[in-house]
Amino acid sequence: MDKYKGKKGYISLLKRYDLIFILVSALIAIGVFMIGLNIWNTKKNIGTVVAVLSLLPACKRLTNLIMIFSFKGISEENYAKVAPLVKPEWLVLEDMLFSTEKYILEFDHVVLSGSKMFALSKMSKDKNDYIKEYFETAFKKRAIDLTFNLYSNVNDYAGVLKRMEGESFENEKATDYIFSLLV
C-alpha cells in the first residue's frame, strides 16, 4: 500500500483496506473464541486469550480509520483544474494526509519543483498558519533547501502552477522527509 502514498485515491483505498482488515480480524477472533468455547466448554481458556490478542492489530487499524474517516481528498472539479497544469518533471502528491503533535493535516494537492513546495489546502486559517510554520521550521532544522507556499484557493494555486517553469525536483532528502510524514 505504501507505493500509493501521495496518489489520488490513496486515502479512500486505505479506508477500504482498514475496514476489511478490521472485519476479517473480528471474524477470525470470533471463530477462535467459539472453537475454544466448544472444546473447553468455558470462556476461561487459551482460545479466549488468543481471540482477544488477535484483535490488537484491528484496534490499531480502527484508530487509523477513525483518524482518516472524515478526509475526502481533492474534489473532481478541483482536480480537473490542476491536473492538466502538472509538468512531468515535478514531484506531485495528491490526497496528502499527515499528523503532527497538534493537528491532523491535509493537502489536496502538492507540487515540488526545483527548490519550491506548493500546496493546496482547504484547512482552516489556524491550521494553515501552523503548517506553514511547521514546514519552514522542519526544513530549516533538517537543512533542506525548500521554500513552502500554501494556497487555499484552487484558482490561485492553478495560476501559480500555470506560470511555473518545469524545473525538475531532485531533492532526495526533502522527498524522504515529506514521504515520512504521510499517513
Side-chain angles (χ1 to χ4, degrees):
M1 289 249 323
D2 283 351
K3 69 179 182 177
Y4 298 108
K5 280 186 177 183
K7 300 295 179 205
K8 185 170 176 7
Y10 170 72
I11 299 298
S12 297
L13 180 67
L14 187 59
K15 286 179 195 178
R16 284 193 297 275
Y17 175 79
D18 284 349
L19 191 57
I20 291 168
F21 185 90
I22 292 164
L23 292 173
V24 168
S25 295
L27 290 173
I28 290 170
I30 291 168
V32 169
F33 174 76
M34 296 305 289
I35 290 169
L37 189 61
N38 284 333
I39 292 173
W40 289 287
N41 295 322
T42 178
K43 293 181 204 174
K44 298 176 184 177
N45 64 62
I46 192 69
T48 302
V49 174
V50 171
V52 170
L53 291 177
S54 70
L55 288 175
L56 292 177
C59 292
K60 184 176 185 274
R61 286 280 171 199
L62 181 60
T63 303
N64 191 49
L65 184 62
I66 291 167
M67 182 182 90
I68 67 174
F69 192 74
S70 64
F71 181 72
K72 301 291 185 236
I74 188 168
S75 70
E76 291 300 324
E77 179 185 337
N78 287 348
Y79 186 72
K81 288 180 183 179
V82 297
L85 305 173
V86 170
K87 295 181 175 55
E89 51 274 0
W90 293 346
L91 174 60
V92 178
L93 301 170
E94 299 139 343
D95 292 357
M96 188 175 166
L97 182 67
F98 57 97
S99 62
T100 65
E101 316 73 54
K102 194 171 179 179
Y103 294 114
I104 297 171
L105 302 161
E106 61 187 87
F107 293 137
D108 282 352
H109 200 268
V110 175
V111 166
L112 294 123
S113 172
S115 62
K116 298 176 181 109
M117 178 177 176
F118 298 92
L120 175 61
S121 166
K122 60 184 170 200
M123 298 183 292
S124 68
K125 182 173 176 7
D126 288 344
K127 286 185 177 181
N128 282 340
D129 292 343
Y130 172 79
I131 195 58
K132 187 161 177 48
E133 184 180 321
Y134 180 89
F135 272 129
E136 288 169 354
T137 303
F139 293 155
K140 189 175 185 179
K141 184 190 300 183
R142 289 165 181 78
I144 296 173
D145 182 28
L146 201 60
T147 58
F148 180 70
N149 298 286
L150 186 62
Y151 299 88
S152 54
N153 181 301
V154 70
N155 294 324
D156 294 343
Y157 181 71
V160 168
L161 296 183
K162 203 178 289 185
R163 293 187 301 273
M164 277 178 50
E165 296 294 319
E167 293 181 64
S168 72
F169 186 76
E170 298 173 5
N171 189 332
E172 190 174 324
K173 191 174 181 181
T175 304
D176 290 345
Y177 172 67
I178 291 167
F179 272 90
S180 75
L181 298 173
L182 297 177
V183 169

